[in-house]
Amino acid sequence: MPVHELEKSFQQKIDNEVKIEPKDWMPDAYRKTNIRQISQHAHSEIVGMLPEGNWISRAPSLKRKAILLAKVQDEGGHGLYLYSAAETLGMSREEMINDLHSGKAKYSSIFNYPTLTWADIGAIGWLVDGAAIMNQVMLTRTSYGPYARAMVRICKEESFHQRQGFEILLVLSRGTAEQKGMCQDAINRWWWPSLMMFGPKDSESTNSDQSMKWKIKRKTNDELRQNFVDMIAEQIKVLGMKLPDDKLKWNESKKHYDFGEINWDEFWQVVKGNGPCNKQRLDARKKAWENGEWVREAAAAHAKKRAERQKEKAA
Amino acid sequence: MNKMKSNSLIDFSLHLADNALILGQRNAEWCGHGPVLEQDIAITNISLDLIGQARSLYQYAAQLKADGSTEDSLAYLRTEREFRNCLLVEQPNGDWAQTMLRQFLFSSYQYYLYQYLQNNKEETLAAIAEKSLKEVSYHLRWSSEWIIRLGDGTEESHSRILKALEELWRYTGELFIAAPYENDLGIAISSLKHDWSKKVNTVFEEATLKAPENVFMHTGGKTGTHTEHLGFILTELQYIQRVYPGCEW
Amino acid sequence: MNVIRKFYYGDIPEDKTGGTIVSKETKTDWPLWEVFIRSKQGLDHKHAGSLHAADAQMAIENARDVYTRRMEGVSIWVVESKYIHASNPEEAGELYEPAVDKIYRHPTFYNLPDEVNHM
């Protein structure tokens, strides 16, 4: 079949909501876009383990320790599901990891902000996971089958993450003056970065149009961001805290909340590597990978030895 | 139960709980830093199991104390000299070889101990031991396989395991020397050594390793005299509770 | 395996696009395994996902740690991905379409009197 015919039948499948599977024909750019997005998503899960992982050793109760440990571990699992989905497109996990370490592949900028107090763990669960879930729920319907299936599994597991975050803040908001202050401070610091998680404005996002046509993405950055603001602006009332935005106001005619301008300079600075923790996060990942090399090598060597011994026995 | 015996039971439960908590805390340091994603998840699972065991045991001890203690007050508000964990579990993670060896030496000890304790006449203790034994059996299997892989892997992995043995073997003697509270309760801890040694030697043989001989054995953890590491572990673990006393979290 | 040339990353435009990484064989890349989980006794094993492991035992244990953290399984199968052979989507027409018109294989094809309708 000539390429333009293949492309036509490919787009037809997408239009008819038929999932694309690994061995199906797909345009090169579709493959690339998916590899880029899925691996970026996987990297975000793995790097995302670090800021929260910081607080496992200091969690304020054994219950919180166990919950946080389970949550960070889940993120590792999610990274694994996503790497596996990306691998079905023909790129190995090791190559993806190399790209992360060389700085070629990106991960979500949010993880380049530091976790300074225990309340940050609550704020991350509520705001950062909340923002991620908006995106991820949309992605359960994405057009590439393995990605969609990974997202279904992830969404199922993530449902406790946002709740535990909110609960941490709820307890703080009902606690001592110090705890309340800690709670508000964390919300102040995490609010704007979590709005940035949805990416550049639609008018400036280079990848959105084609991704929408291919149904890799099904809602635009701005639509998702607005949904998020509408949700959080209501939930914060329960905490009795404030979002750090004077322009935040219900707009009766639009039936949405208006909100202030994001500091895009900061966004691009963090993307470029100048966030507070960019270097430290990447260094931690590289160190883990490099220190693990001899371990991976030893296990592979042992497996080979054992297989050879078995062969000898059989002969 | 007489007063002395009941105090010993509290001490013994705290000893078991501290063992589990401190090793759980140590293993959790790997979370996000493991040599490969799958193993990061695996060691975290073990950490979660251990923290779960610690919680059950602290709750049991708190119930025995009946003085308003909770699992958290026991974990967060006791000091270095009050912790009764064995020295082995507080040793640093080191590299993957050291962490695997610490896990293997401890899991094999815990395996025979819980097997023994599941017949204890204290029903709650026996029930905790029985439930934990399932988890520990898996930890033992998993860590045994790692010892074999690393011992019989590459030259580098073999030499790293040897180094870990040099580091950790001296803390294994203490496991089988009864503390006063164990004697009081008639816990025949030294009787476990035979099975433990057999298990260790079997795995070592497959891993092309040999248990060191004539090593001086350090003791004291079980009665509250620790290595310097414990103080740092507790500083981090207890920080929030110490800075903001009496809060809900 | 397709070798992918990579040009862009993420939803984020970059100043420096372009470049390739040549896939390199390494000693440390563990093989990929496919994981099948039986969620409860009496049901089939179902494909759950994949993972990397050095050997089969490790793959089973990893599968337990990765795919059954929430009691999703009672039994696990693993198989190295390279041993899975798949039908080719381009042959879908000849493979599956011939079944389409054989409606007589389905019970609903047969119109029976109401009295025997539970057959």
Side-chain angles (χ1 to χ4, degrees):
Chain A
M1 229 191 277
V3 171
H4 70 272
E5 284 292 319
L6 288 168
E7 267 174 18
K8 217 172 110 191
S9 89
F10 172 81
Q11 189 61 48
Q12 229 161 38
K13 271 199 221 165
I14 303 254
D15 294 342
N16 294 334
E17 301 289 333
V18 175
K19 296 281 185 236
I20 307 301
E21 294 296 341
K23 294 189 78 180
D24 294 346
W25 185 90
M26 61 186 88
D28 255 7
Y30 177 85
R31 187 185 295 274
K32 276 179 211 152
T33 305
N34 264 298
I35 290 183
R36 183 190 65 232
Q37 190 175 326
I38 303 170
S39 65
Q40 182 174 295
H41 197 158
H43 297 328
S44 300
E45 297 281 354
I46 301 309
V47 177
M49 296 170 81
L50 300 170
E52 286 179 282
N54 275 337
W55 280 88
I56 294 168
S57 63
R58 291 175 289 175
S61 71
L62 294 180
K63 184 182 89 178
R64 293 284 178 212
K65 191 188 286 291
I67 293 172
L68 182 58
L69 190 53
K71 175 180 189 270
V72 178
Q73 185 202 34
D74 271 352
E75 277 152 20
H78 299 168
L80 193 148
Y81 305 157
L82 288 162
Y83 281 128
S84 301
E87 279 184 284
T88 62
L89 288 161
M91 190 188 209
S92 75
R93 192 199 294 179
E94 192 157 3
E95 285 176 288
M96 293 183 245
I97 289 175
N98 284 339
D99 280 357
L100 171 69
H101 294 174
S102 74
K104 280 176 86 181
K106 298 290 177 201
Y107 56 88
S108 181
S109 285
I110 192 82
F111 303 117
N112 291 319
Y113 289 88
T115 46
L116 301 179
T117 72
W118 170 250
D120 290 30
I121 300 307
I124 288 182
W126 180 42
L127 296 174
V128 176
D129 291 333
I133 288 167
M134 296 242 119
N135 207 22
Q136 288 170 346
V137 168
M138 166 189 81
L139 287 171
T140 58
R141 297 190 300 127
T142 191
S143 60
Y144 186 55
Y147 193 19
R149 290 192 288 275
M151 289 322 302
V152 168
R153 188 177 276 276
I154 289 172
C155 281
K156 228 192 261 171
E157 298 189 355
E158 286 255 341
S159 55
F160 98 81
H161 293 185
Q162 199 189 8
R163 294 171 72 94
Q164 66 88 33
F166 191 78
E167 193 198 64
I168 288 175
L169 295 184
L170 192 63
V171 171
L172 294 177
S173 75
R174 292 171 178 172
T176 63
E178 272 172 318
Q179 286 178 303
K180 284 181 185 148
M182 196 189 274
C183 180
Q184 182 64 59
D185 168 61
I187 292 169
N188 291 349
R189 281 182 290 109
W190 289 95
W191 172 244
W192 291 107
S194 38
L195 289 189
M196 294 176 197
M197 279 177 74
F198 296 95
K201 279 200 252 195
D202 292 345
S203 52
E204 281 169 36
S205 176
T206 49
N207 297 302
S208 273
D209 287 352
Q210 185 62 56
S211 288
M212 294 286 282
K213 192 172 157 230
W214 280 334
K215 296 188 182 168
I216 296 174
K217 291 185 72 154
R218 310 194 63 133
K219 284 184 178 180
T220 69
N221 294 352
D222 285 338
E223 277 176 88
L224 286 168
R225 185 162 23 233
Q226 184 67 56
N227 292 350
F228 178 69
V229 172
D230 291 346
M231 177 180 83
I232 298 297
E234 287 300 315
Q235 291 174 352
I236 195 155
K237 294 175 185 167
V238 181
L239 294 177
M241 296 282 144
K242 264 178 66 98
L243 291 172
D245 181 0
D246 297 336
K247 300 216 169 71
L248 187 85
K249 206 171 161 238
W250 177 251
N251 183 325
E252 187 55 38
S253 64
K254 286 199 232 157
K255 298 284 176 208
H256 283 299
Y257 275 90
D258 291 332
F259 56 98
E261 191 58 37
I262 290 169
N263 181 349
W264 292 110
D265 285 345
E266 177 181 324
F267 173 77
W268 290 114
Q269 282 301 332
V270 181
V271 169
K272 277 185 201 141
N274 298 324
C277 303
N278 290 59
K279 184 171 183 310
Q280 170 187 341
R281 301 283 184 254
L282 215 48
D283 285 351
R285 284 312 313 159
K286 280 193 251 182
K287 190 173 156 218
W289 187 248
E290 281 158 17
N291 288 347
E293 191 173 0
W294 71 268
V295 180
R296 299 191 298 274
E297 215 173 280
H302 177 74
K304 206 171 145 212
K305 274 190 206 173
R306 191 135 70 170
E308 272 160 18
R309 268 180 229 146
Q310 262 164 8
K311 223 188 272 168
E312 267 168 42
K313 241 195 219 161
Chain B
M1 199 188 308
N2 66 41
K3 182 95 178 102
M4 196 181 84
K5 217 160 182 187
S6 125
N7 277 339
S8 293
L9 187 56
I10 292 168
D11 285 349
F12 182 58
S13 308
L14 287 173
H15 156 66
L16 297 176
D18 293 344
N19 274 346
L21 176 63
I22 299 300
L23 189 55
Q25 175 88 352
R26 275 294 194 211
N27 283 341
E29 291 172 23
W30 277 105
C31 184
H33 305 275
V36 67
L37 197 44
E38 284 83 351
Q39 299 304 325
D40 202 307
I41 293 169
I43 188 88
T44 306
N45 254 357
I46 292 181
S47 180
L48 276 169
D49 286 344
L50 289 167
I51 291 168
Q53 291 171 19
R55 290 184 67 188
S56 306
L57 289 158
Y58 283 132
Q59 284 163 14
Y60 176 53
Q63 192 194 326
L64 292 171
K65 279 173 88 85
D67 60 354
S69 294
T70 64
E71 59 172 77
D72 284 331
S73 73
L74 293 173
Y76 285 84
L77 301 175
R78 286 183 306 135
T79 64
E80 296 88 324
R81 304 280 281 135
E82 292 168 293
F83 265 70
R84 293 183 171 76
N85 58 279
C86 54
L87 301 174
L88 177 65
V89 296
E90 69 198 36
Q91 299 312 305
N93 285 348
D95 58 10
W96 189 251
Q98 189 160 322
T99 297
M100 289 306 102
L101 185 64
R102 185 183 61 198
Q103 191 64 47
F104 169 65
L105 295 173
F106 182 74
S107 289
S108 42
Y109 156 75
Q110 220 186 13
Y111 176 79
Y112 293 109
L113 178 60
Y114 281 160
Q115 217 170 45
Y116 173 82
L117 288 178
Q118 62 179 344
N119 301 317
N120 197 279
K121 55 188 185 308
E122 297 298 329
E123 276 173 29
T124 312
L125 187 61
I128 296 172
E130 194 189 339
K131 177 177 177 288
S132 307
L133 186 60
K134 293 197 187 102
E135 298 168 348
V136 172
S137 306
Y138 182 75
H139 305 170
L140 177 55
R141 193 173 83 179
W142 182 84
S143 57
S144 303
E145 281 161 11
W146 267 111
I147 296 304
I148 294 165
R149 267 184 212 117
L150 297 180
D152 186 28
T154 59
E155 248 176 67
E156 177 171 10
S157 66
H158 187 83
S159 76
R160 281 178 188 262
I161 274 279
L162 288 182
K163 199 175 148 272
L165 261 178
E166 200 181 311
E167 201 64 48
L168 297 177
W169 190 255
R170 56 200 160 129
Y171 300 113
T172 56
E174 179 191 33
L175 300 173
F176 305 100
I177 299 169
Y181 45 84
E182 285 165 321
N183 279 331
D184 256 8
L185 296 168
I187 308 270
I189 201 83
S190 61
S191 71
L192 305 178
K193 190 170 181 179
H194 176 76
D195 284 343
W196 179 84
S197 299
K198 221 170 105 186
K199 174 75 193 173
V200 168
N201 285 327
T202 311
V203 171
F204 277 7
E205 198 184 307
E206 213 183 326
T208 68
L209 298 167
K210 258 183 70 125
E213 279 164 33
N214 302 322
V215 173
F216 179 82
M217 291 293 177
H218 294 268
T219 58
K222 289 166 78 167
T223 47
T225 308
H226 292 274
T227 58
E228 288 177 343
H229 302 296
L230 184 70
F232 291 98
I233 296 175
L234 294 183
T235 303
E236 211 168 311
L237 190 144
Q238 299 180 339
Y239 142 75
I240 294 185
Q241 291 273 358
R242 298 290 189 186
V243 177
Y244 307 97
C247 292
E248 287 270 334
W249 298 96
Chain C
M1 282 286 234
N2 302 312
V3 177
I4 307 297
R5 289 173 62 88
K6 302 178 300 284
F7 293 93
Y8 309 98
Y9 288 93
D11 214 24
I12 292 155
E14 269 185 279
D15 308 338
K16 285 184 198 144
T17 54
T20 53
I21 280 203
V22 182
S23 177
K24 55 172 181 157
E25 275 291 314
T26 60
K27 290 178 288 186
T28 66
D29 206 7
W30 293 347
L32 192 65
W33 300 73
E34 299 301 321
V35 177
F36 300 82
I37 309 253
R38 186 202 292 288
S39 60
K40 93 184 201 213
Q41 214 63 18
L43 296 182
D44 288 326
H45 285 77
K46 201 175 149 213
H47 186 237
S50 51
L51 48 76
H52 287 271
D55 53 56
Q57 188 59 34
M58 192 198 267
I60 288 177
E61 287 167 13
N62 286 165
R64 175 256 192 198
D65 289 332
V66 173
Y67 290 103
T68 67
R69 297 199 301 282
R70 288 176 173 77
M71 304 177 289
E72 293 99 332
V74 295
S75 162
I76 295 172
W77 288 350
V78 295
V79 58
E80 245 190 279
S81 308
K82 67 179 182 195
Y83 294 121
I84 294 203
H85 298 266
S87 64
N88 195 335
E90 276 139 50
E91 292 158 6
E94 57 201 86
L95 288 175
Y96 314 115
E97 274 169 34
V100 171
D101 63 357
K102 301 197 174 51
I103 45 175
Y104 46 80
R105 286 187 186 277
H106 298 275
T108 47
F109 178 73
Y110 302 91
N111 253 326
L112 299 185
D114 285 348
E115 292 87 328
V116 289
N117 226 0
H118 289 293
M119 191 178 278

